[in-house]
Amino acid sequence: MNNDSIYLPRAATIKNINRFTELENLFEITLDDGNPLGHKPGQFVEVSIMGIGEAPISVSSSPTQSQTFELCVRRVGNVTNAMHRLKKGDKVGIRGPFGIGFDTEFLKDKDILFICGGLGIVPLRSLINYVFEHRADYRKVTILYGCKAPHELLFTNEVTAWGQRKDTELHLTVDAVPEGEHWNYNVGVITTLIPKVDFDINTTYAVVCGPPIMYKFVIKSLKERDLPDDHIILSLERRMKCGVGKCGHCQINGIYVCQDGPVFNYTEIKDLQEAL
Amino acid sequence: MQEDKYADAAKHDKNKGGFGMKLVKKDDFLNFVNTLIKNDSRTVVGVKSKRNKFIYDTLNSADELRLEYDVTMLSPNKYFLPPTETLLRYDFTGKFSVQAVNEVTPLIIIGIHPYDLIAIEQMDKVFKDSNPDYNYIRKREASILIGTNIQNVSSYAFSGSMGAATTDRGFDLMLTNIGDKYAIEIGSIKGKNLIEKYAKVSEADNDTTREVQRIKTEIGSKFEKQLNFSSEELPKLLEENYDNELWEKNAQKCLSCGSCNFVCPTCYCFDVQDITELNLKTGERIRTWDGCLLEDFAKVATGENFRKDRAARYRHRFMRKGKYLYDKFGFIACIGCGRCASSCLPDIADPCKVFNSLKEVIE
Ligand SMILES: Cc1cc2nc3c(=O)[nH]c(=O)nc-3n(C[C@H](O)[C@H](O)[C@H](O)COP(=O)(O)OP(=O)(O)OC[C@H]3O[C@@H](n4cnc5c(N)ncnc54)[C@H](O)[C@@H]3O)c2cc1C
Ligand code: SF4
Ligand code: SF4
Ligand code: FES
């Protein structure tokens, strides 16, 4: 009779683990009840490690891949470190998907400029792959992806493949190249890429995700190019304890990021001082 | 199936005391309470005194009831959203074994003041909203609420200005002290059944109904503390004063202790933690009260704190009470009980004072 609890996770099994870097792993997961997760690009799940806790993690795979889904997790604390200790076949709890994702219908027939900073690639990858799977529905695709250093680049094989597509423009950058590392692309923060790309402000929508500090600078650069406010779409991070609009932790002024976001149109949040 | 239960709870809220009024002699009322304690399967809780303060606690005898109290330390919401509550129980002996937990103790709560009944109504809305939270809803549905009109007003309270000095709904029964008797308004079928089963009552005549009405009208004017303007102006006032320097000025004294959150009947934020037993085989996921005034409330794992300044956290609480929750649910989430004011050491938490200062600054 208690199965209607909004806090009860569903059992799920880790099918595969791909070690990306020292800090990030990609987990391929399937729900034990056999159902597809049924997410939209940009939505997130609450991952439970019983005995440790729960953490909100974006779904990184495209919904077109429906039997399993992928989470890319950086280990920073209790839950995420515990996830990194898991092996293939181990169980995790999943609640969700939660939140409002990217509006794939609205973006149809538009030019999309993806701006991914660091771990921000994780939620955007879901949309990027979705767009590639429905390539004819979308127009010009430009991807800007920046990390602190070359060894922090995620999804390297996939990103390389994006760069080889004739229908896509890819620009990579790192803040700096430490000694002993190789890098053939741009060096500088992600905003240094923006003047290098050509886009039509009437048809282009920028989709942005990255660390909190990144948004202000990216928006400033986009505004310098006169991109209208409502052509900027952002995915935001906040502290979350429930994912279902109750615990209060994710609030930006009166907005609940877990319910009203994490994806926002810039016009919805630009006047909120706590947002960016 | 879930939908039905939801509808049932909603129905209860809509009952607007359409079940008439009875009279009970004070002695008979005490007998009624003692009979409930002895014979009813539900646990009977009520307002008692404890070291010069009043609290809600389990009643062992009707004599313990102190219906002339001014305000209790915590509101009865503590029974529906307890300070610590188990949400899940897990077991490491299986591969993935987790069960939802909902520990419901059916209660009869006696002596709730109208402002606290209104706060409960507000929380009903919050927890039934879009994602119904049955940990709250089931506890709430299993309870009977017996209200009492205010006899003594706390010097910190300003419920009169918040439209919360009296209420004509949200209770199963509502008592009004009229000399050697209580008038009992019946607010629901549950309340009606309880009276029929356990109480010795007589019909209230027109004089009694008028007397109750007079007493209710009078209560509003007994509050020494008043808002200097209509509470309906609050959402707009707060919106216009987001950048007022008062937040910074007052918050300089704030200890970030969270007391103002913890005593408030309309504060419901929580934290979630896993607690594993010493045997390392089983454990529980619990939720505990949390407060937006505490320093780490909005801090994320990478160290970013989205309300790092005391002033931002201090402002957030008032904004939430008077604007954010109003925008989302349509009510002002402050019922003027004054509990926050009386629990704040540096004396900066009083919404009445803060709201009046904001209004003054504008004029
Ligand atoms: C919508 C959304 C999507 C996300 N998507 C991803 C994703 O795809 N991949 C990903 O890797 N991450 C993602 N995150 C971030 C991820 O949720 C956090 O990194 C994760 O919650 C950390 O949990 P943890 O238990 O591992 O860390 P915790 O143990 O909670 O904390 C990590 C660090 O923060 C400190 N800390 C924790 N709590 C407190 C506190 N109360 N006060 C002070 N310090 C504290 C700890 O000391 C520690 O250093 C997302 C977040 C959101 C909101
Ligand atoms: S009770 Fe007073 S000191 Fe404590 S957090 Fe609230 S406003 Fe600050
Ligand atoms: S803000 Fe203060 S006065 Fe208002 S309901 Fe909460 S505790 Fe009572
Ligand atoms: S995460 Fe709990 S309210 Fe948004």
Side-chain angles (χ1 to χ4, degrees):
Chain A
M1 79 157 253
N2 280 321
N3 289 340
D4 51 18
S5 167
I6 48 176
Y7 306 108
L8 181 66
R10 290 186 277 173
T13 304
I14 297 181
K15 287 289 169 196
N16 227 329
I17 303 175
N18 197 340
R19 295 197 190 282
F20 274 171
T21 72
E22 175 77 1
L23 292 176
E24 286 103 0
N25 278 356
L26 185 72
F27 298 88
E28 188 184 352
I29 298 174
T30 160
L31 292 170
D32 288 2
D33 59 20
N35 292 321
L37 182 64
H39 69 289
K40 292 212 183 81
Q43 284 193 303
F44 68 96
V45 289
E46 285 280 349
V47 183
S48 269
I49 307 290
M50 300 319 298
I52 309 285
E54 247 183 348
I57 303 290
S58 307
V59 184
S60 192
S61 49
S62 159
T64 316
Q65 162 193 338
S66 68
Q67 280 317 302
T68 63
F69 59 95
E70 289 167 351
L71 306 177
C72 179
V73 179
R74 174 178 289 177
R75 58 183 175 89
V76 291
N78 297 328
V79 175
T80 48
N81 270 298
M83 277 190 84
H84 275 237
R85 290 193 291 269
L86 297 177
K87 300 179 299 298
K88 210 168 142 171
D90 282 348
K91 302 281 180 189
V92 292
I94 297 288
R95 287 192 302 129
F98 293 133
I100 293 176
F102 298 105
D103 192 338
T104 48
E105 281 303 307
F106 174 81
L107 288 170
K108 277 186 180 164
D109 297 319
K110 313 257 169 28
D111 298 333
I112 311 178
L113 170 62
F114 290 97
I115 305 180
C116 331
L119 210 54
I121 187 82
V122 172
L124 294 193
R125 175 191 174 239
S126 176
L127 179 61
I128 292 172
N129 283 338
Y130 182 88
V131 166
F132 285 151
E133 286 152 6
H134 304 82
R135 191 63 187 88
D137 293 342
Y138 301 89
R139 289 174 44 169
K140 193 173 156 194
V141 172
T142 310
I143 303 171
L144 314 185
Y145 175 27
C147 290
K148 285 209 195 83
H151 71 268
E152 290 193 1
L153 213 72
L154 301 172
F155 304 101
T156 38
N157 295 341
E158 235 171 282
V159 171
T160 310
W162 295 344
Q164 284 159 358
R165 292 181 70 113
K166 296 228 158 32
D167 58 10
T168 302
E169 192 179 326
L170 174 77
H171 293 269
L172 303 176
T173 188
V174 292
D175 295 356
V177 185
E179 225 169 291
E181 290 193 39
H182 281 284
W183 187 249
N184 297 326
Y185 309 92
N186 187 70
V187 178
V189 291
I190 194 147
T191 43
T192 59
L193 292 178
I194 295 174
K196 295 187 179 170
V197 292
D198 184 36
F199 55 84
D200 178 348
I201 58 168
N202 297 308
T203 52
T204 300
Y205 282 75
V207 179
V208 187
C209 188
I213 175 96
M214 191 187 93
Y215 295 98
K216 271 189 204 124
F217 296 106
V218 166
I219 289 164
K220 190 161 163 272
S221 302
L222 293 172
K223 295 308 296 173
E224 278 164 8
R225 297 283 295 275
D226 294 322
L227 190 68
D229 288 347
D230 65 342
H231 283 224
I232 303 175
I233 297 159
L234 319 147
S235 176
L236 300 182
E237 181 187 348
R238 282 299 181 279
R239 189 182 180 91
M240 292 186 179
K241 280 293 176 178
C242 73
V244 288
K246 307 289 184 220
C247 77
H249 280 275
C250 68
Q251 260 188 293
I252 299 176
N253 299 66
I255 282 179
Y256 287 74
V257 176
C258 69
Q259 297 268 284
D260 308 324
V263 174
F264 295 97
N265 188 293
Y266 180 51
T267 51
E268 294 175 82
I269 53 165
K270 67 173 182 175
D271 295 328
L272 304 180
Q273 282 183 26
E274 291 177 1
L276 297 174
Chain B
M1 202 184 90
Q2 286 182 25
E3 286 306 308
D4 285 347
K5 281 168 185 158
Y6 182 46
D8 230 30
K11 219 180 294 160
H12 169 74
D13 290 338
K14 283 193 209 101
N15 287 329
K16 290 194 175 179
F19 296 85
M21 193 183 281
K22 306 276 177 195
L23 267 178
V24 61
K25 288 195 193 117
K26 284 199 169 157
D27 279 352
D28 287 333
F29 178 74
L30 294 181
N31 289 337
F32 165 63
V33 174
N34 280 327
T35 314
L36 289 178
I37 294 171
K38 219 163 76 196
N39 296 342
D40 197 89
S41 61
R42 289 161 286 212
T43 301
V44 182
V45 302
V47 178
K48 304 190 345 188
S49 75
K50 188 182 174 189
R51 286 188 228 107
N52 299 325
K53 306 253 185 175
F54 296 102
I55 58 163
Y56 282 93
D57 196 6
T58 306
L59 291 178
N60 301 307
S61 145
D63 301 335
E64 294 173 333
L65 259 185
R66 296 288 299 275
L67 293 181
E68 79 289 3
Y69 76 99
D70 52 0
V71 67
T72 55
M73 283 167 74
L74 293 177
S75 85
N77 293 44
K78 68 175 182 181
Y79 293 114
F80 309 134
L81 182 68
T84 302
E85 174 179 17
T86 304
L87 298 176
L88 305 175
R89 197 164 285 130
Y90 50 84
D91 183 342
F92 292 126
T93 51
K95 257 237 147 182
F96 184 85
S97 165
V98 189
Q99 262 128 40
V101 177
N102 196 352
E103 279 153 6
V104 179
T105 308
L107 296 175
I108 299 176
I109 308 178
I110 307 179
I112 309 173
H113 277 167
Y115 50 81
D116 277 340
L117 286 167
I118 291 170
I120 291 171
E121 261 195 311
Q122 294 185 349
M123 292 307 100
D124 286 355
K125 212 163 180 175
V126 167
F127 284 97
K128 287 173 192 165
D129 177 57
S130 58
N131 297 303
D133 180 322
Y134 288 98
N135 282 74
Y136 174 94
I137 295 170
R138 294 253 152 72
K139 289 179 184 62
R140 179 65 185 83
E141 281 175 348
S143 66
I144 290 206
L145 308 184
I146 304 184
T148 180
N149 275 312
I150 302 167
Q151 299 179 37
N152 288 296
V153 172
S154 152
S155 61
Y156 290 102
F158 55 101
S159 306
S161 307
M162 304 309 290
T166 60
T167 180
D168 58 5
R169 57 178 208 216
F171 52 81
D172 296 295
L173 298 172
M174 173 62 99
L175 309 169
T176 307
N177 180 18
I178 45 171
D180 60 349
K181 295 194 186 77
Y182 288 115
I184 309 183
E185 273 171 85
I186 298 175
S188 72
I189 299 270
K190 274 203 244 174
K192 185 166 173 271
N193 292 343
L194 201 72
I195 292 285
E196 278 169 6
K197 194 162 170 197
Y198 297 115
K200 197 174 146 203
V201 295
S202 58
E203 286 304 318
D205 53 22
N206 284 343
D207 284 351
T208 312
T209 323
R210 266 195 296 276
E211 174 64 359
V212 169
Q213 210 41 58
R214 190 192 61 77
I215 290 172
K216 279 194 186 178
T217 318
E218 224 176 60
I219 295 169
S221 59
K222 285 190 183 163
F223 291 81
E224 280 166 37
K225 275 175 60 172
Q226 307 271 356
L227 215 54
N228 297 332
F229 56 97
S230 160
S231 65
E232 283 169 21
E233 292 177 41
L234 275 171
K236 192 159 170 284
L237 181 76
L238 284 163
E239 184 173 325
E240 286 165 354
N241 281 279
Y242 189 82
D243 291 315
N244 197 305
E245 58 202 20
L246 177 115
W247 308 122
E248 182 63 49
K249 197 178 114 240
N250 281 6
Q252 278 175 10
K253 294 187 225 150
C254 176
L255 310 170
S256 300
C257 66
S259 302
C260 50
N261 291 136
F262 297 128
V263 297
C264 179
T266 64
C267 272
Y268 58 88
C269 290
F270 57 84
D271 188 27
V272 179
Q273 284 165 275
D274 284 8
I275 309 285
T276 301
E277 305 281 331
L278 285 176
N279 65 19
L280 298 180
K281 283 187 187 135
T282 55
E284 292 181 341
R285 180 163 294 170
I286 60 166
R287 72 168 155 203
T288 54
W289 286 357
D290 208 342
C292 60
L293 270 287
L294 299 175
E295 189 174 349
D296 292 338
F297 188 80
K299 188 170 171 180
V300 295
T302 42
E304 192 86 17
N305 189 341
F306 294 99
R307 273 190 298 278
K308 139 170 120 316
D309 298 327
R310 270 181 302 185
R313 299 195 293 276
Y314 177 79
R315 171 179 58 198
H316 184 72
R317 175 173 158 260
F318 293 98
M319 285 287 163
R320 208 174 136 93
K321 299 286 161 213
K323 173 161 168 53
Y324 301 157
L325 291 186
Y326 177 81
D327 289 345
K328 193 167 158 73
F329 296 108
F331 53 71
I332 305 268
C334 171
I335 43 74
C337 65
R339 288 179 175 106
C340 54
S342 69
S343 67
C344 176
L345 274 178
D347 192 18
I348 52 168
D350 186 345
C352 189
K353 246 194 241 171
V354 167
F355 295 153
N356 279 339
S357 314
L358 292 179
K359 183 76 180 172
E360 250 169 57
V361 177
I362 285 203
E363 270 157 14

